[in-house]
C-alpha cells in the first residue's frame, strides 16, 4: 500500500509530540493522546484505526489530533464496535457517541466495526447428535 502507519500514544511515550485535550472513555478520564508533530501534514487524508470503540472518547481524541495538525479524518475503523453506545435512549444512563461526536463537530466522520457485540453474545447451536471428535477442522 505504501501508506504510512502513525501511532498515537499516551503522554510521555513519544518525543516531539503534540497532545490532545483530556477525554472521557467508558472507563473514566484520560490525559490526552499524543502524536509526533511531523507525522501528519496539512491536507493528509487519515484513516484512524482502534481495537475497540464504545463511547468514542479515544476516537474523538485521535480525530482532534489529526485536525490539530491540518489533516482530514476520512473514516474510523475498529475491530470491535459496541453499538449500544452509538445513540442509546436518553433514560438509559449510557453515554452517547453520536452526541459526543456532534458536540465536537465530528459527527460527519464515519465509524465502522469489523465485529459488533451482537457476535459476542450469540450462542452457537449444535445439532442434537453432534459429537466432538477432538480434531481441529
Amino acid at each position: 500500500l505504501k501508506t504510512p502507519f502513525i501511532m498515537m500514544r499516551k503522554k510521555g511515550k513519544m518525543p516531539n509530540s503534540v497532545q490532545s485535550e483530556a477525554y472521557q472513555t467508558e472507563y473514566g478520564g484520560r490525559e490526552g493522546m499524543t502524536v509526533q508533530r511531523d507525522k501528519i501534514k496539512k491536507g493528509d487524508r487519515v484513516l484512524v484505526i482502534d481495537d475497540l470503540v464504545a463511547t468514542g472518547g479515544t476516537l474523538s481524541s485521535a480525530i482532534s489530533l489529526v485536525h490539530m495538525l491540518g489533516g482530514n479524518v476520512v473514516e474510523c475503523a475498529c475491530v470491535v464496535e459496541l453499538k449500544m453506545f452509538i445513540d442509546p435512549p436518553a433514560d438509559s444512563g449510557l453515554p452517547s457517541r453520536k452526541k459526543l461526536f456532534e458536540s465536537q463537530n465530528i459527527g460527519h466522520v464515519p465509524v465502522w466495526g469489523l465485529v459488533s457485540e451482537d457476535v459476542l453474545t450469540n450462542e452457537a447451536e449444535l445439532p442434537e447428535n453432534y459429537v466432538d471428535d477432538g480434531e481441529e477442522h
Side-chain angles (χ1 to χ4, degrees):
L1 291 174
K2 296 186 180 181
T3 303
F5 171 81
I6 302 164
M7 289 182 46
M8 295 182 181
R9 309 242 3 238
K10 292 185 232 175
K11 182 180 177 181
K13 301 284 185 181
M14 289 189 287
N16 191 29
S17 60
V18 294
Q19 181 177 342
S20 70
E21 293 183 16
Y23 64 98
Q24 293 290 317
T25 70
E26 63 276 16
Y27 307 113
R30 299 289 183 260
E31 281 188 47
M33 295 177 62
T34 63
V35 66
Q36 290 178 312
R37 66 179 70 244
D38 63 344
K39 298 298 179 189
I40 299 171
K41 296 176 181 45
K42 185 174 181 165
D44 281 355
R45 293 169 42 89
V46 178
L47 166 66
V48 174
I49 302 174
D50 200 358
D51 59 346
L52 179 134
V53 60
T55 61
T58 304
L59 286 181
S60 67
S61 181
I63 293 167
S64 171
L65 274 174
V66 172
H67 289 170
M68 284 171 58
L69 295 169
N72 176 38
V73 177
V74 177
E75 68 182 357
C76 298
C78 303
V79 177
V80 176
E81 179 180 29
L82 301 180
K83 292 185 178 199
M84 65 189 194
F85 291 107
I86 293 174
D87 192 20
D91 63 351
S92 71
L94 294 173
S96 168
R97 186 170 80 221
K98 180 180 178 186
K99 288 181 183 172
L100 171 67
F101 275 36
E102 287 173 353
S103 73
Q104 296 182 4
N105 296 318
I106 58 174
H108 63 281
V109 177
V111 177
W112 61 269
L114 180 62
V115 176
S116 76
E117 77 273 9
D118 302 339
V119 171
L120 303 175
T121 58
N122 288 339
E123 184 176 344
E125 293 184 29
L126 298 174
E128 284 184 39
N129 60 352
Y130 175 80
V131 177
D132 187 348
D133 62 9
E135 296 291 323
E136 289 187 35
H137 298 279

